[in-house]
Amino acid sequence: MPKGAESLLDVLAAHDVEVVFGLPGVHNLAIWEALRRHTGIRMVGVRHEQTAVYAADGYARSTGRLGVAIVTTGPGAANTLGATGEAWASGSPVLVVATDIPSTLRRPGVHRGVLHETRDQRAMFVPVTKAAFDVPTAAELPSYADKAVQQALRSPHGPVYLGVPTDFLSAEVAGHTVTKPAPVHSAVDLTEASALIDGSVRPLIWAGGGAARSGAGPAIGALADKLDAPIITTYGARGLTDNPHVVRGPVHAPPVGKLWDDADLVIAIGTDFDGMMTQNWLQPKPPALLAVNIDKAEASKNYPADVTLEGDAATVTTALAAALPARPGHADVAALNAEVRALAEADSPEAVKFLRALENTDATIVADMCIPGYWIGGFHHVTRPRGLAYPVGWGTLGFAFPAAIGAALHGPAVAVVGDGGFLFACGDLATLRQEDLPLTIVLVDDGGYGMLRYDQQVANHAISGVDLTRPDFARLAESFGIPAVTLGGFDDLGPALAAEGPRMIVVNARLQPPINTSPRWYRKTST
């Protein structure tokens, strides 16, 4: 019979997993030995456990497939929690496999002093995962691995923790036949929804990350065409569809926010109306709200829906669009998009230069929580599904570079980072070089934590703790064997992006935060 480590990999392979990310540790070496002999799964070795989960998340976001991170016990598992929380808040299908101390040495609730021991490792993951499992016996390792994968991939998606005592990896384990997640069947009664739409004059479509993950872009485009209605996409839904009804700017821009204020019906698809998009719910409740969501409770937790169609966003929206007659609309989206771009140009010509430089790349863009990333999240026109990954779920600084490593396994990627956030995971320049990935790092060096510097200025605080000592980033990259170039601004960024990665482009520049960052939100009181 196969050993436990081999059975774990067999379950992953049966679920079409082709790549995993991780670090070896004393308790998980049996998995590395099994990976050495396994022909179907590629191991990408990273330099920190947190980056293993970020890379798995970036892979999941760019492909729609399961991202897998394999880490060791105790501190190794704990190192993943920030990245796991980001996957949880953003709905990414990620499996975190962490070893635990040998089952023979465990006493429940007691810390005995075993190497890497915690009193309850699984408990650390419960608040930041969709589900968390400890494998109870060696014989059940394959079935629990199967269950964990299914949970991560079942809508609504999310990260799952699987804890495996290290002695189970060397135990003989019988084979297991996996169960693939069944597709969601979403037969719904459209009567109330159709009546709500028929009674509206100025409908607005609001599409969120759940719609993007379900592949609902074509259906939403068809619905917008029928209603001649504008489409606002959340950060998680950028690139969902390139339909001409898509608004190319954030709802934080007053001309876009006016669409919400003027709408007599909002059709919310795959969204929960989070605080980042609604300026902490200062957007007034719409006169009528039709929600399409896999989870009825999620659909109404922030704005109560008048009608909810519970089911898969793509399936339900396809049926809804097919059931409606075509009718003339009310909004000139092309003119609105021109107005939004003019607003951005007046606000920051340098930022618009930066955005224009990115327009000609077909690479997946992975943006960090930094001022250039905020401009991308708000104003970059993403033309294809899964073309942008942006960590606004939990807002974890340091996401972009390691997540882009995962995305680059699928195809060319561009990581947009600041000088502060990049240093969270700069050791993975070694991973980039080792794996020879088609990844370009655009590092905008503004001397430290630029967004926090701005926050201090707005609050009339002394500038403190945000101006950082930094390395020569180009020389740092070159020391890892990564070609690098330094630019004095954004004028030459476009041509620099034309070269293939792995490489780094350092841009010495400062940008003002855009209007979609909270200090600049225009809604100040509820209406």
Side-chain angles (χ1 to χ4, degrees), residues 11-383:
V11 168
L12 295 179
H15 279 288
D16 304 319
V17 171
E18 296 178 347
V19 60
V20 298
F21 305 87
L23 277 75
V26 66
H27 286 154
N28 68 12
L29 289 178
I31 299 177
W32 258 251
E33 176 61 18
L35 280 165
R36 186 178 63 82
R37 297 194 301 269
H38 202 285
T39 58
I41 298 179
R42 175 181 179 180
M43 163 53 73
V44 175
V46 295
R47 301 304 187 268
H48 192 277
E49 288 87 1
Q50 187 176 72
T51 67
V53 177
Y54 277 145
D57 188 357
Y59 177 84
R61 295 192 201 205
S62 63
T63 64
R65 304 176 68 175
L66 180 70
V68 179
I70 298 176
V71 299
T72 195
T73 312
N79 279 343
T80 71
L81 290 173
T84 304
E86 173 57 39
W88 160 72
S90 293
S92 292
V94 170
L95 176 62
V96 180
V97 180
T99 49
D100 207 334
I101 68 168
S103 63
T104 54
L105 301 180
R106 165 73 66 200
R107 288 185 189 168
V110 177
H111 180 265
R112 303 183 68 196
V114 180
L115 180 68
H116 299 333
E117 181 186 13
T118 64
R119 288 198 302 273
D120 189 345
Q121 184 170 291
R122 172 186 167 275
M124 297 192 297
F125 286 84
V126 171
V128 292
T129 55
K130 180 182 176 184
F133 303 108
D134 276 333
V135 179
T137 66
E140 293 173 281
L141 172 54
S143 64
Y144 267 73
D146 185 14
K147 180 165 61 172
V149 172
Q150 290 186 61
Q151 279 277 14
L153 291 174
R154 185 177 295 120
S155 296
H157 296 158
V160 174
Y161 165 79
L162 182 67
V164 186
T166 185
D167 52 317
F168 293 177
L169 298 175
S170 301
E172 291 188 343
V173 175
H176 175 77
T177 301
V178 306
T179 304
K180 296 290 184 72
V184 177
H185 296 289
S186 305
V188 293
D189 185 347
L190 301 176
T191 305
E192 289 184 294
S194 297
L196 205 59
I197 293 171
D198 288 343
S200 70
V201 177
R202 296 177 304 281
L204 170 67
I205 298 171
W206 178 292
R213 290 187 290 275
S214 78
I220 290 172
L223 180 63
D225 289 341
K226 281 288 187 76
L227 301 179
D228 197 16
I231 304 168
I232 291 177
T233 57
T234 69
Y235 296 130
R238 293 288 193 259
L240 172 104
T241 173
D242 202 24
N243 185 283
H245 290 92
V246 171
V247 176
R248 300 183 184 182
V251 72
H252 314 79
V256 182
K258 191 173 186 301
L259 286 178
W260 174 277
D261 296 339
D262 291 346
D264 59 358
L265 169 66
V266 173
I267 304 173
I269 304 172
T271 184
D272 63 359
F273 292 112
D274 65 80
M276 291 292 290
M277 289 303 305
T278 62
Q279 298 174 65
N280 283 342
W281 306 285
L282 290 178
Q283 289 179 192
K285 179 185 179 299
L289 177 59
L290 166 61
V292 178
N293 204 296
I294 195 74
D295 186 326
K296 188 172 184 178
E298 287 288 300
S300 287
K301 73 180 184 184
N302 288 316
Y303 293 103
D306 297 283
V307 175
T308 300
L309 300 178
E310 190 171 10
D312 173 70
T315 304
V316 173
T317 307
T318 298
L320 183 62
L324 297 173
R327 69 186 216 185
H330 61 94
D332 187 343
V333 176
L336 174 64
N337 287 339
E339 183 181 0
V340 170
R341 179 46 66 101
L343 184 154
E345 183 85 52
D347 195 34
S348 176
E350 282 301 298
V352 173
K353 284 183 186 178
F354 167 60
L355 295 172
R356 285 179 178 145
L358 296 172
E359 287 176 351
N360 295 323
T361 180
D362 293 326
T364 299
I365 296 176
V366 187
D368 213 359
M369 294 296 285
C370 60
I371 294 175
Y374 303 144
W375 276 101
I376 290 171
F379 293 92
H380 178 60
H381 179 47
V382 186
T383 59

Side-chain angles (χ1 to χ4, degrees), residues 440 494-501 503:
T440 297
L497 281 168
E500 295 183 358
R503 63 197 307 267

Side-chain angles (χ1 to χ4, degrees), residues 432-482:
L432 177 57
R433 179 69 278 167
Q434 181 173 296
E435 301 295 329
D436 196 29
L437 299 173
L439 169 58
T440 297
I441 303 162
V442 177
L443 190 156
V444 180
D445 187 348
D446 65 359
Y449 298 129
M451 187 68 231
L452 298 177
R453 185 188 298 119
Y454 181 83
D455 289 336
Q456 290 178 340
Q457 292 168 342
V458 169
N460 292 318
H461 293 173
I463 303 302
S464 175
V466 297
D467 293 329
L468 304 178
T469 299
R470 290 106 57 220
D472 182 323
F473 286 106
R475 291 179 62 189
L476 175 65
E478 289 167 348
S479 74
F480 283 88
I482 307 295

Side-chain angles (χ1 to χ4, degrees), residues 478-518:
E478 289 167 348
S479 74
F480 283 88
I482 307 295
V485 61
T486 300
L487 306 178
F490 297 111
D491 290 323
D492 296 322
L493 178 58
L497 281 168
E500 295 183 358
R503 63 197 307 267
M504 175 185 281
I505 303 170
V506 181
V507 184
N508 293 314
R510 289 193 177 189
L511 294 175
Q512 172 177 269
I515 56 178
N516 50 300
T517 53
S518 57

